[in-house]
């Protein structure tokens, strides 16, 4: 039964990635026998995960029935929690946001306060019985299998807190906890159709989300892509203390928090990363100089990623990315200097065009992949068998 349902999950993936298909299409693509295909299509139809989508002309003139993935079958709830507030969305099973809302709250107010507000928002977006999965994105390192953040630099009070447990008693499906940049990388990959990419978030901190062959790369514990705390771009002989406690991390040269501090020390009235971008837009010479140097430092870290992973796209987002070419030119300069030509032949380094819903969309896609994976899908098909 489990094995058969597993194959049924593979079949569902086909509809999710290719759209409407006829019975013959499915037989041709999978190489399965007609009777096996009939059996699995029937199971998916009973669960209302696929539906008849009208007929298509077949070569013999007789129309053959098309089946399509029923993205409206259930909902997923997602929370993209940032340093200064969060965005929530209720999405369909294709990851499309149906409704969303945003609230301001500092993440260091602690998990009880922030997640309490998230739950209130979730309640206004969907009833628990129509939700199949929940995904929460946070701006810190996530131990993925344990659903917890570990030693997060800006998330005071969250260290080791079981985020999934805050929701798992209310919703029947899986609760996924994910790093915010990983979620963005997944959205960027699916929406651009590019299976190999690096998403860089350049804001108060610096992080990277990695997608290879369409799969998110988390590493052994979930720490993959944390380039902000490598020593790339280290140029100053004077040691610089990072907010993580180590010396000379990339963030001490190029993160929003470090640039704010440096410009403030130079007498500029800056409090947050958006103020740095505003100074650059005004042509402030010191701000332009520091952001250019930050670009070169970030470029060294990106060059390392490009050499190791050979992505097709490097997509930049975050408030520091609003500095535009002043930042990008330094990144491109170092990447092209420090990598082999084959790695950069078709490489594009660009500013992400995804809007404010990129995080919740990526989270929804991760949650849906989780709940429609063969194991959980078997449970769902079992749970729906009698209804
Ligand atoms: Zn550090």
């Amino acid at each position: 039964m489990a094995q058969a349902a597993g194959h049924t999950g593979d079949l569902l993936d086909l509809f999710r990635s290719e759209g409407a298909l006829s019975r013959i299409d499915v037989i041709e693509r999978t190489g399965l026998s007609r009777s096996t295909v009939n059996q699995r299509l029937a199971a998916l139809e009973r669960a209302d995960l696929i539906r008849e989508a009208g007929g298509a002309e077949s070569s013999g003139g007789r129309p053959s029935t098309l089946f399509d993935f029923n993205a409206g079958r259930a909902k997923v709830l997602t929370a993209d929690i940032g340093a200064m507030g969060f965005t929530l969305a209720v999405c369909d099973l294709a990851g499309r946001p149906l409704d969303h809302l945003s609230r301001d709250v500092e993440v260091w107010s602690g998990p009880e306060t922030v997640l309490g507000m998230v739950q209130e928002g979730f309640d206004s977006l969907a009833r628990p019985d129509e939700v199949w999965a929940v995904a929460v994105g946070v701006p810190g390192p996530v131990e993925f299998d344990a659903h917890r953040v570990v030693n997060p630099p800006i998330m005071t009070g969250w260290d080791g807190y079981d985020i999934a447990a805050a929701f798992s008693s209310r919703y029947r499906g899986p609760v996924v906890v994910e790093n915010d940049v990983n979620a963005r990388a997944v959205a960027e990959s699916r929406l651009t159709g590019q299976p190999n990419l690096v998403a860089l978030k350049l804001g108060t901190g610096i992080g990277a989300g990695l997608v290879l062959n369409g799969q998110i790369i988390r590493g052994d514990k979930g720490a993959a892509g944390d380039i902000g705390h490598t020593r790339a771009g280290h140029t100053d002989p004077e040691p610089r203390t990072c907010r993580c406690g180590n010396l000379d991390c990339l963030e001490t040269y190029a993160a929003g928090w470090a640039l704010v501090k440096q410009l403030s020390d130079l007498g500029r009235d800056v409090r947050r990363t958006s103020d740095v971008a505003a100074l650059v837009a005004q042509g402030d010479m010191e701000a332009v100089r520091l952001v250019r140097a930050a670009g070169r430092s970030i470029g060294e870290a990106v060059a390392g990623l490009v050499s190791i992973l050979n992505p097709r796209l490097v997509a930049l987002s975050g408030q520091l990315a609003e500095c535009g070419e002043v930042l990008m030119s330094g990144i491109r300069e170092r990447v092209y200097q420090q990598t082999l030509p084959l790695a950069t032949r078709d490489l594009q380094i660009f500013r992400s065009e995804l809007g404010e819903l990129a995080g919740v969309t990526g989270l929804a896609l991760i949650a849906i992949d989780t709940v429609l994976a063969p194991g959980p899908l078997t449970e769902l098909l079992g749970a729906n068998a009698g209804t």
Side-chain angles (χ1 to χ4, degrees), residues 228-229 242-246 249 251:
H229 303 281
C242 184
R243 58 184 183 158
C244 73
N246 290 340
C249 295
E251 283 206 358

Side-chain angles (χ1 to χ4, degrees), residues 59-82:
S59 52
R62 200 167 66 106
S64 59
T65 306
L66 285 176
F67 295 93
D68 205 356
F69 176 54
N70 178 15
R73 173 66 179 87
K75 293 173 178 169
V76 295
L77 283 169
T78 62
D80 182 20
I81 299 174

Side-chain angles (χ1 to χ4, degrees), residues 44-375:
L44 291 173
E45 255 196 308
R46 269 199 307 278
D48 203 14
L49 278 164
I50 58 168
R51 284 182 163 180
E52 287 191 17
E57 282 299 314
S58 72
S59 52
R62 200 167 66 106
S64 59
T65 306
L66 285 176
F67 295 93
D68 205 356
F69 176 54
N70 178 15
R73 173 66 179 87
K75 293 173 178 169
V76 295
L77 283 169
T78 62
D80 182 20
I81 299 174
M84 307 299 290
F86 59 73
T87 298
L88 310 182
V90 56
C91 302
D92 67 12
L93 291 182
R96 290 180 292 245
L98 305 170
D99 196 4
H100 65 97
L101 61 86
S102 294
R103 296 278 183 273
D104 292 332
V105 60
E106 292 165 340
V107 75
W108 45 90
S109 307
E112 281 87 5
T113 302
V114 176
L115 297 180
M117 289 174 68
V118 168
Q119 184 63 71
E120 264 177 44
F122 277 170
D123 286 342
S124 73
L125 291 172
R127 297 192 320 267
D129 64 308
E130 55 189 0
V131 173
W132 273 10
V134 175
V136 181
V138 292
V142 173
E143 187 180 359
F144 186 74
D145 291 336
H147 321 294
R148 297 165 198 264
V149 287
V150 179
N151 295 329
I154 61 167
M155 296 177 69
T156 311
W158 292 72
D159 188 19
Y161 190 86
D162 190 343
I163 297 170
F167 301 102
S168 52
S169 60
R170 196 169 177 83
Y171 302 98
R172 61 177 168 162
V175 180
V176 178
V177 181
E178 183 60 271
N179 171 265
D180 58 349
V181 193
N182 285 352
R184 233 195 132 87
V186 169
E188 198 86 49
S189 173
R190 299 282 178 91
L191 299 177
T192 58
Q194 288 292 345
N196 298 303
L197 70 81
V198 170
L200 273 189
K201 188 173 177 191
L202 308 171
T204 305
I206 296 174
L210 319 172
V211 174
L212 278 187
N213 301 325
Q215 300 295 317
I216 189 160
I217 304 298
R218 297 190 179 91
D220 185 41
K221 292 286 181 285
D226 213 349
I227 59 165
H229 303 281
T230 64
R231 288 203 176 190
H234 174 205
T235 54
D236 191 346
E238 283 292 308
R240 298 184 179 194
T241 305
C242 184
R243 58 184 183 158
C244 73
N246 290 340
L247 295 177
D248 299 325
C249 295
L250 171 62
E251 283 206 358
T252 66
Y253 288 88
W257 67 262
L259 294 168
V260 165
K261 181 172 180 302
Q262 287 161 39
L263 284 165
S264 185
D265 290 347
L266 289 167
R268 304 299 193 277
D269 181 20
V270 285
R271 290 185 180 82
R272 46 177 68 187
T273 308
S274 55
D275 299 334
V276 176
L279 276 184
V280 168
Q282 290 160 20
D284 182 288
M285 294 298 284
E286 286 299 327
V288 168
R289 180 180 67 79
L290 286 171
V291 169
R292 268 195 212 291
R296 288 192 289 268
S297 292
I298 295 165
E300 293 197 9
V302 175
L305 288 177
V306 166
S307 293
I308 295 166
L309 304 173
N310 187 204
R312 175 70 173 257
L313 304 182
V314 175
L316 311 182
S317 64
Q319 282 178 326
L320 203 60
E322 287 169 24
C323 295
E325 278 306 307
V326 173
L327 184 79
M328 301 276 282
S329 58
I331 297 177
R332 288 202 187 94
E333 175 194 304
R334 289 301 156 97
V335 170
Y336 285 94
Q337 276 174 359
Q338 299 181 0
T339 54
L340 291 175
L342 183 59
T344 52
R345 186 185 289 167
D346 290 321
L347 177 71
Q348 292 174 48
I349 302 173
F350 66 104
R351 212 171 130 197
S352 170
E353 290 173 0
L354 302 184
E356 56 163 351
L357 297 182
V360 289
T361 302
L363 288 165
L365 292 167
I366 293 167
I368 294 158
D369 286 349
T370 305
V371 74
L372 296 184

